[in-house]
Amino acid sequence: MKKQRKVKLRVLNKITADWSLNYTKGQKHSPFLRLGDIAYGSKRIIDRESLPPLIRRQCCGASKSCFSLKDIKLDPTNIYKFGDSQESSLNMASEITEQVSVDQPKYNWVDITQEFFSASSQLQLGELVHTNMFGLFEAMSAIEMMDPKMDAGMLCNQIKRKVLTLEQSVEEGSVKISKLDHCELIGIMDSSLACLVTWIEGHSLAQTVFTNLYLHNPYIIEDRCLKCFCIVMLKTVDLIRERINRAGTVEEEDFQPMSYGFRMAGDVSDSRALGMIKEVEEEFGKISKNTRPKAGQDRTVLQETQHQLVTAVHIRLKFFRLFYSALLSFVKEKCEGLQMAQKQLSQIVEILPAIISTISFGVQEESSQASKNDYPTIPGFEPLINQRLLPPTFPRYTIIKGRLESVNYIKILVQKLQSITVVPELGSLHTILEFFMEFSRSSPCVLSRSLLQLMLIPPNRRVFGSQSVVDSLKDTIRNFISPPGLSPKSSIYNHAQAKEYIDALLTRAARPICTLFQITGHNRARQRDKWAHILDDLSNLQEEADKVDAYLHTLLVQTERNRSHLACFGTWVLYHTLNAMINYTLSGFELELYATFEYHYVYWYLYELLYAWMVSTLHRADSFLLDAENAPDMSQKGRSSKKSKKKKRAKTLARELTIAQAYQQMFGGYYKAVVAFQLCGKLKEPKFKFDNEEVRYSHRFAPFSTVLTPPMVHYAQYKEMSDLGRYDPLPTTQEMFGAACKCFCQAKELLDSITPQTEEIQTIIKIAKTNFVVMKLVVGGHKEDSLDPPEFDFTQHNIFPIIKLIQASSLPLWEQLNALLYRFARNKSCTAIICSKLLYILWDCLYNEAGPVLRNHTYAYHNRSQTDRDQTSRWIQLLNTLSTPSLVTGTGKTLKIKSQYC
């Protein structure tokens, strides 16, 4: 038997790079090759995924351990070397080609360019010819190849300089892996932190964190400080990615979870990584302690600088260790690590000012011109190293945050993490949901949102990892409405059938209630869609709750005729349904979706329907709580003859009820103010050709059509219910302004009675006071003749605006003249017509001549001849003669319209 001799077949391909095929000459007629016979570079392939992408796609069967030669389609022109001579190489190439070409398809290409353009020229503007598999949605989602604006791959080959990997950079000496000075260490750590923050903000991991070449292979680094830092950085990135992915409350615009196959130091345990950085941190701490200035010692500038640099490195090592440890503390089961996390976060807050003050110590980027895909960096960072690793989203221009901005970002993140550590102490799920809503309004980052979600409902699907969701719901419902079915005093509390019905309902309710918490984990724009979708589940749950209430009521009246179980669980579900509807409607203000001419029906819906139902629901729940406290204990056989003393109510919904009433009055004030502005002509609805109010109304409240309780008010019902013609006599503009004034006053009084007052409630009180004063002034006739529309200022609060009456004198002069023209056009008197014509002449003169220069509400016109100035003065004099008192003041050089007439 001939001795088998292995030779190597090397194929050079521009797409797959170099790959080699170990082939045994004695088996050249065998149709199969084992995976062990295939190698990629110097690495032996052990699975199919390790093959080059092009070869992997050409191989058949993901589960096959061997491939046929004809499954690997080789181009003989790419064969570089085979065997011992060029002749044997060509012979083998022909053998492979004969075996491979059997299954290769043959194409007869036909040029249809002219026919295509000829056919497309017959299409009209806006027409699209497409198949059923490619519609408008796919067209909007498609990326136009070869277009630099859409195809980020077009930017890859525009840079002329050579891009080097870590190993190549070390060989050339451009990157050091040993004996790094303190300035270089500080610069690398600060730049890495900036890349980490940029990644958390939603950019690609490959284009941010892994532009740091040291993170590609930290095991070849000889500097102990840099090596342990890189390993902890990789572990931190991996932990953040795992936490965010597990929470599942992010969208593609929030976060890019792809790791692109980078190794995250998985072979190093958490304790080992922390031990490594702790050891180096202690070494730098000793050096910093030894170099501290001593009393009476004269120190040189060099010694002081050396001490500051060592201290700067020490506090950064401590920061990264504490940050990673705090994240690990949040991962512990049953929230056992929250106390340790609070301590670690407090230590981070203490050292952040020192990091900020020493940012300038690190090595800085070179001052060179930046481009879209290349920017100046420090040694060890290469922005083009991963230029072809693009995320599966639309191209985004990655701008790495500045170092100071990144540290400030971490400071805010740590504050957010500190605030969520107190969540397990809040008690019922309703209180926790309020915290989640308040936390979401502060626009937290994706990491803090994800950690909060996993803290409440970890992977084991138990509240805080210890209590089942059904048991938590039972406690929450007891505190909210205390139904007889969950009251130990009730006779049906231990009824087997009643327990079965209640458990089945709450098991069914667990999913939509958990979804309410998950919705708050999404960004504010996505939450609006989520609130609309949850209404379907809550509507179905409402029907089941009503059926359970009816059955439990039949059991209860058999033993306790004076008590009722109707609308108990139904009221609780209705409360969450109304909250979802209110949040959906209010998100339109926050996202600036509503136009000013839409405010009247949005405010009406909130005032007359949603908050009216909410107040009624809370009243009903509060009355059930009172009945439950006063109900006799039916679980005991004997009853005491002594009368129970009146006790202070332990459970009450007074705070929630007061806030709901105050918000209802606020929206009532806005609605009546908007209607009053419409009556006096200051708010006008534009006339759209392809749109009308009914279409907009139906679109705004379309998600409410699936909800049975409360029923949706359709447009025809809204017009009928909001028609002022129902009242006799018809309310005047001043009466509507007066009603709005009363609403704002009542809202202020209700909010003042709430204790303790949060920052948001104090802000709303100030807004109510301001709007009350504005409405009071309008009732007194302030700006009565002005036709300028009011301004709704949302700077103080994104839902409750401040109503402002614009000062006409602050408008440009030609806008003031337009206001006067409109005002005179409504007057049919001869004097008004003459004044109107004169204003037209004056407006034309001012508009077409040299531009105005604003000086203390006075408009000066330069470069005008003396004749023009005299003519303007005569126009002003004639205008003021026909109008009493004078409307316009000034001379030929400067003129001004009195503000009280604008």
Side-chain angles (χ1 to χ4, degrees), residues 477-490 560 562-564 568 620-634 649-651:
I477 297 173
R478 285 193 191 99
N479 294 327
F480 178 75
I481 197 170
S482 188
L486 295 177
S487 176
K489 296 181 179 181
S490 176
E560 302 178 59
N562 295 329
R563 298 192 67 181
S564 173
C568 286
R620 186 186 307 118
D622 198 51
S623 63
F624 269 104
L625 284 176
L626 181 61
D627 293 342
E629 290 182 4
N630 298 329
D633 191 353
M634 300 299 295
R649 292 187 59 182
K651 303 174 184 177

Side-chain angles (χ1 to χ4, degrees), residues 117 236 295 412 699 883:
F117 284 111
T236 303
I412 297 175
H699 176 71
S883 60

Side-chain angles (χ1 to χ4, degrees), residues 41 119 132 256 330 334 582 611 660:
N132 294 332
Q256 298 293 337
F330 279 102
K334 299 181 180 180
I582 289 172
Y611 270 101

Side-chain angles (χ1 to χ4, degrees), residues 137-383:
F137 179 80
E138 288 77 15
M140 292 299 295
S141 304
I143 295 179
E144 186 176 351
M145 297 183 65
M146 310 301 290
D147 183 358
K149 295 181 180 179
M150 297 290 289
D151 190 354
M154 290 296 294
L155 302 175
C156 292
N157 299 320
Q158 294 183 1
I159 304 300
K160 302 301 182 182
R161 66 182 178 86
K162 186 178 180 181
V163 179
L164 303 177
T165 63
L166 175 62
E167 291 78 5
Q168 294 171 343
S169 300
V170 172
E171 291 178 2
E172 288 196 358
S174 58
V175 172
K176 296 192 300 183
I177 58 175
S178 62
K179 298 181 180 179
L180 280 81
D181 58 40
H182 297 146
C183 293
E184 291 174 332
L185 291 173
I186 295 171
I188 292 172
M189 292 180 186
D190 290 347
S191 297
S192 299
L193 182 62
C195 292
L196 178 68
V197 169
T198 307
W199 171 58
I200 296 176
E201 281 286 271
H203 289 275
S204 169
L205 183 66
Q207 306 297 329
T208 54
V209 175
F210 282 99
T211 58
N212 184 352
L213 297 178
Y214 292 112
L215 298 180
H216 290 211
N217 190 4
Y219 302 106
I220 69 172
I221 301 175
E222 299 175 6
D223 188 280
R224 294 180 61 234
C225 177
L226 182 59
K227 182 176 182 178
C228 69
F229 161 75
C230 291
I231 291 176
V232 170
M233 173 62 75
L234 290 173
K235 301 289 288 185
T236 303
V237 169
D238 191 39
L239 181 58
I240 291 174
R241 189 173 62 90
E242 187 270 337
R243 290 285 90 187
I244 295 176
N245 285 337
R246 191 176 291 274
T249 56
V250 296
E251 305 293 339
E252 62 179 6
E253 68 268 17
D254 293 325
F255 184 72
Q256 298 293 337
M258 292 186 62
S259 62
Y260 301 96
F262 287 107
R263 292 178 296 175
M264 299 292 181
D267 53 343
V268 180
S269 63
D270 297 334
S271 58
R272 175 58 182 155
L274 290 174
M276 291 170 60
I277 196 171
K278 178 68 174 178
E279 183 179 349
V280 178
E281 175 195 338
E282 290 176 350
E283 291 181 5
F284 276 89
K286 292 178 181 179
I287 298 175
S288 176
K289 185 177 181 180
N290 294 332
T291 57
R292 281 187 303 184
K294 299 179 181 178
Q297 180 184 7
D298 294 333
R299 293 167 57 88
T300 63
V301 177
L302 181 61
Q303 290 175 332
E304 184 64 27
T305 303
Q306 185 70 13
H307 169 72
Q308 292 177 353
L309 291 175
V310 171
T311 305
V313 176
H314 172 252
I315 60 175
R316 279 162 174 77
L317 291 172
K318 184 178 182 181
F319 163 76
F320 283 101
R321 178 182 62 82
L322 291 173
F323 186 67
Y324 181 53
S325 301
L327 295 179
L328 289 175
S329 299
F330 279 102
V331 179
K332 293 183 178 180
E333 296 181 354
K334 299 181 180 180
C335 301
E336 295 175 350
L338 290 184
Q339 187 174 359
M340 180 60 67
Q342 289 177 342
K343 181 180 178 180
Q344 293 161 345
L345 293 172
S346 299
Q347 292 177 336
I348 292 177
V349 172
E350 293 176 358
I351 65 176
L352 282 177
I355 294 178
I356 294 176
S357 62
T358 56
I359 285 179
S360 60
F361 292 176
V363 60
Q364 302 297 320
E365 297 86 354
E366 299 177 359
S367 58
S368 61
Q369 187 176 2
S371 62
K372 284 189 175 181
N373 54 343
D374 192 15
Y375 47 87
T377 58
I378 63 175
F381 286 77
E382 176 53 74

Side-chain angles (χ1 to χ4, degrees), residues 453 514-523 527 530-531 534:
Q453 292 288 324
C514 291
T515 304
L516 293 177
F517 290 94
Q518 293 174 357
I519 289 175
T520 63
H522 292 268
N523 62 61
Q527 285 186 23
K530 305 295 181 182
W531 288 124
I534 194 61

Side-chain angles (χ1 to χ4, degrees), residues 401-471:
K401 287 183 174 292
R403 298 182 184 181
L404 179 59
E405 184 182 1
S406 301
V407 177
N408 289 329
Y409 182 95
I410 293 295
K411 183 178 181 180
I412 297 175
L413 170 61
V414 171
Q415 292 174 354
K416 298 292 184 184
L417 296 181
Q418 283 181 312
S419 66
I420 68 177
T421 56
V422 300
V423 172
E425 304 172 4
L426 296 180
S428 68
L429 290 180
H430 283 186
T431 308
I432 297 174
L433 183 59
E434 290 178 4
F435 176 87
F436 273 54
M437 292 294 300
E438 188 67 27
F439 187 77
S440 177
R441 293 189 190 101
S442 63
S443 299
C445 70
V446 61
L447 176 58
S448 56
R449 296 192 330 241
S450 300
L451 292 177
L452 178 60
Q453 292 288 324
L454 293 175
M455 181 192 300
L456 177 66
I457 305 177
N460 62 6
R461 309 306 295 175
R462 300 178 71 85
V463 178
F464 298 119
S466 56
Q467 189 179 24
S468 67
V469 178
V470 173
D471 292 339

